[in-house]
Amino acid sequence: MDYYKVLGVDRNASAEQIKKAYRKLARKHHPDLNPNDEAAKKRFQEINEANEVLSDAESRKKYDKYGEQWKHADQIESAQREREGAGGAGFGGGGGYGRGGSFQGFRGGEEQDINDIFGSMFGGARGQARFRGHDLQAELRMELRDAAVTEKRTLTVNGKQIRLSIPAGVENGQTIRIKGHGGAGMNGGPAGDLLITFNISDDPVFKRVGKDLFVNFDLDLYTAVLGGEVTVPTLDGKVKVPVKAETQSGTVVRLKGKGFPVYKKEGSFGDLFVTYAVKVPTDLTDAQKELFKQLAKT
């Protein structure tokens, strides 16, 4: 897939334009907003993958040069250097020796068959060419509240233990790349990468949408009518919130900075939106009912 087309940006787009496009698409296709929609989940993963590559200057440079084979950039360039060191013509600047000795190679970002390049580099002995190992994919399940803090986890992949630090703010369906922890390379080639997709379970109290959190709060009738103060739950404890007199059911209050942490932006948080549901009292005594009747008459 074309990462630029996935994000809907031009190949000359700035880093800020790429970031804005990613955020817009991530919100639209977020799994939490498209439950049970496999197409949206797949699209969200593609958006994350494209952003992982294009938001990193070095990865983007390799992608722009080698296209879908950008992960093999190190092997290609290493093979080129070896050939040039051996007195060969190389294939830098637009060409290389392909099948049958014809001069082919990289033109406009397109790449000839990687096996042809390595085969010609090593005199046709393709079995001696070094190849990067394949990528491995894994799923990591987390609770919403665990994803709100930076966590250290130990994973076992191919019998090896990998310790990794998971930044606070990862999203459900997001995929991160751990370099060098995939399949082993061939003939001394580098190992592939480990791609971890996060599966974050729903929370019984909070609903998350991007960096913001939403919570429903039952408000008693008397506080709703007369005003007062209530204690509202947040991810890092309870906070007291003033309530205006004559607050209606369905009123939404915004608590700034009490939402979810922003991924890889330490100290940055979304907001918490509290929706009040005014509760009518039940099991009233006759005296209490009489008071309501007198209130109704006034």
Side-chain angles (χ1 to χ4, degrees), residues 2 6 53 90 96 110:
D2 186 324
V6 169
V53 175
E110 295 180 359

Side-chain angles (χ1 to χ4, degrees), residues 31-41:
D32 289 346
L33 299 180
N34 300 274
N36 303 319
D37 188 338
E38 289 300 319
K41 181 178 180 181

Side-chain angles (χ1 to χ4, degrees), residues 11-294:
R11 298 188 71 87
N12 296 320
S14 66
E16 185 62 29
Q17 289 173 322
I18 290 174
K19 183 191 295 184
K20 287 182 178 180
Y22 165 71
R23 288 178 176 175
K24 180 180 179 180
L25 292 171
R27 284 195 295 267
K28 179 179 178 181
H29 298 282
H30 197 286
D32 289 346
L33 299 180
N34 300 274
N36 303 319
D37 188 338
E38 289 300 319
K41 181 178 180 181
K42 181 179 179 182
R43 175 73 169 144
F44 185 74
Q45 291 175 341
E46 291 176 347
I47 292 166
N48 269 297
E49 182 179 337
N51 182 63
E52 282 280 336
V53 175
L54 298 185
S55 63
D56 182 88
E58 188 62 29
S59 296
R60 182 181 180 183
K61 181 179 178 182
K62 293 178 181 179
Y63 178 74
D64 288 343
K65 187 173 183 180
Y66 300 113
E68 64 181 14
Q69 296 294 344
W70 70 274
K71 297 175 186 177
H72 300 288
D74 292 341
Q75 297 98 298
I76 295 172
E77 291 170 357
S78 176
Q80 178 186 5
R81 288 192 296 270
E82 288 189 28
R83 180 173 180 81
E84 290 174 345
F91 53 88
Y97 290 100
R99 188 178 286 114
S102 60
F103 193 65
Q104 304 172 11
F106 303 94
R107 295 180 182 175
E110 295 180 359
E111 181 184 353
Q112 73 179 86
D113 189 295
I114 200 92
N115 290 325
D116 288 346
I117 294 174
F118 283 132
S120 63
M121 287 296 150
F122 292 92
R126 295 179 183 176
Q128 299 302 313
R130 294 190 298 273
F131 290 99
R132 178 182 181 276
H134 61 277
D135 291 339
L136 298 179
Q137 298 195 19
E139 183 179 80
L140 181 59
R141 298 178 181 273
M142 298 180 70
E143 300 291 332
L144 178 70
R145 298 178 191 232
D146 292 335
V149 295
T150 297
E151 276 211 343
K152 293 188 181 298
R153 292 284 184 99
T154 300
L155 305 181
T156 302
V157 180
N158 284 349
K160 296 181 180 179
Q161 288 193 330
I162 302 172
R163 288 182 57 82
L164 62 143
S165 180
I166 303 171
V170 292
E171 296 198 39
N172 183 40
Q174 181 177 346
T175 299
I176 64 173
R177 182 182 298 273
I178 310 298
K179 294 185 177 181
H181 287 287
M186 293 177 60
N187 300 322
D193 298 336
L194 172 63
L195 280 68
I196 301 177
T197 300
F198 292 93
N199 185 335
I200 301 175
S201 59
D202 293 333
D203 187 84
V205 177
F206 302 100
K207 177 178 176 60
R208 178 189 180 189
V209 179
K211 63 180 180 179
D212 296 324
L213 292 174
F214 297 80
V215 64
N216 295 322
F217 187 84
D218 291 340
L219 187 65
D220 67 85
L221 178 64
Y222 312 106
T223 304
V225 173
L226 302 174
E229 189 178 72
V230 294
T231 302
V232 175
T234 71
L235 280 180
D236 56 357
K238 297 181 178 181
V239 296
K240 292 183 178 181
V241 180
V243 179
K244 294 181 180 179
E246 302 177 7
T247 292
Q248 302 297 307
S249 189
T251 297
V252 178
V253 177
R254 178 181 182 181
L255 304 183
K256 291 185 177 181
K258 290 297 182 180
F260 216 72
V262 180
Y263 182 66
K264 287 189 175 181
K265 287 191 176 181
E266 188 174 352
S268 181
F269 295 83
D271 300 329
L272 173 63
F273 293 85
V274 183
T275 302
Y276 290 133
V278 178
K279 292 297 181 182
V280 176
T282 58
D283 299 326
L284 296 175
T285 65
D286 291 339
Q288 290 171 328
K289 291 179 180 178
E290 186 60 32
L291 289 173
F292 272 101
K293 289 178 182 179
Q294 293 179 21

